[in-house]
Amino acid sequence: MQKVKVAIIGCGLAWERLHYPAYQELQDKYEIVACCDIDKNKAIKATQVAGLGQDKAYTDYREMINRESLDAVDIMVPIEDNFPVAEDIAQVGVNIICEKPLATNLEDALEFTQFADMYKIKIMIAENFRYNEENNIIRDLIKQRKIGDVVYFISNYITDFPKDMLGNTFAAKEWRQHPDFPGGRLLDGAIHNLAGIRHIFGAIDNLHAFGQPQEEDYMPYRSAHINMEFKSGVIGQFSYFPSGQEAQRPLLGTRIFGTEGMIYLEERKSGIVNVFYNNGSSEQIPFKPKRGFYNELLNFYKDFTLQESISVAPEVEFGDLKTVLAILKSIEEKKVVKVDEVAKVQKPSITLS
């Protein structure tokens, strides 16, 4: 079986806890051939974990891609580095797997969407919420009209980022606590939830957002509340509170209300999608939590071997970034903002409705 020869750029927690376990499951499809990190010790540790010699540990990704025979690179760097690193890799014609978001602004993100055609390469954005089993189950239930016509939804996500800062977690990273990009946790964290919502319901026509201001670097708002109107006619609300706790069970979670029933997902690690019908019956659909990392790498492999197409190309992730920036604009200007103006991206603009 043909294996994809992949090199790692960025050997931090995303590599260690998220991507590497998926590569382990896909050893018959991927071969990790080199690792790069600006911290040489991290690069060496990554090569040891991957069963490579220290000569495969790099601190300069440009040197690595020039020396190694590669099919692809997996980019896991701080958000502000995604665009410049991806641009360098694309220019030498190497296929790309890259973490979200594309960039910190729409102009660079739009340019990112052009790399695949410009340099004749494959690019997949590793937005795991678009590959998670629960979101695909829910999307299929809606497509099959299991609860009739969707009328509206509510989705609530709470996490305690300040508490997580103190542990050996993603929140402990300096670049997350004092971000050099707009929105802080909105662009780094809530973008996942918004990607999942967009994956289920499609393009957003308009949104109206409110935020409760705070003097914290990690996010300019204590909480954000977004009303969304989708091009399909569905309306809904997403609330994000990154510095609190939800003590009561069951959690509010995500609840989708239709003309013939409702869908309820308590949280992405619950392992169950609940469907309740107006006739009093119900069903519980099991899923494996956090399978997005495995599924995204499998999708890239299948595209590489011409079995299927990449599901989350840069133009898909462009819409997720645009949504976050529209939320920030709506909060700041206290106005309704139009998001997906046309089906295909033509220009990096957000206009007021």
Side-chain angles (χ1 to χ4, degrees), residues 157-284:
Y157 185 66
I158 299 176
T159 183
D160 196 341
F161 187 81
K163 179 181 177 181
D164 291 342
M165 286 182 185
L166 305 177
N168 183 22
T169 67
F170 292 94
K173 299 300 179 183
E174 183 75 14
W175 66 268
R176 285 193 161 97
Q177 295 177 11
H178 307 284
D180 188 24
F181 48 84
R185 295 304 301 152
L186 279 170
L187 188 58
D188 186 30
I191 191 172
H192 287 300
N193 304 82
L194 292 162
I197 290 170
R198 289 173 59 89
H199 183 65
I200 292 168
F201 297 112
I204 299 173
D205 200 358
N206 303 289
L207 63 77
H208 195 191
F210 298 90
Q212 192 176 60
Q214 67 175 0
E215 295 296 327
E216 296 286 353
D217 288 349
Y218 69 85
M219 184 168 159
Y221 306 103
R222 181 175 288 112
S223 65
H225 307 267
I226 306 101
N227 290 318
M228 291 169 276
E229 179 185 23
F230 292 79
K231 290 187 177 294
S232 63
V234 172
I235 59 174
Q237 176 189 338
F238 171 59
S239 297
Y240 180 61
F241 183 20
S243 54
Q245 298 180 22
E246 188 173 359
Q248 184 175 342
R249 292 278 182 171
L251 304 177
L252 181 59
T254 297
R255 302 170 187 248
I256 304 168
F257 299 87
T259 55
E260 298 178 19
M262 68 168 286
I263 297 169
Y264 171 55
L265 175 69
E266 183 175 10
E267 57 184 338
R268 62 192 180 101
K269 64 181 181 181
S270 65
I272 295 289
V273 174
N274 295 277
V275 188
F276 302 96
Y277 300 102
N278 290 352
N279 63 10
S281 64
S282 66
E283 60 179 311
Q284 289 71 46

Side-chain angles (χ1 to χ4, degrees), residues 198 202-206 231 319 322-323 338-343:
R198 289 173 59 89
I204 299 173
D205 200 358
N206 303 289
K231 290 187 177 294
K322 193 173 185 184
T323 300
K338 187 168 286 293
V339 183
D340 295 302
E341 298 178 71
V342 291

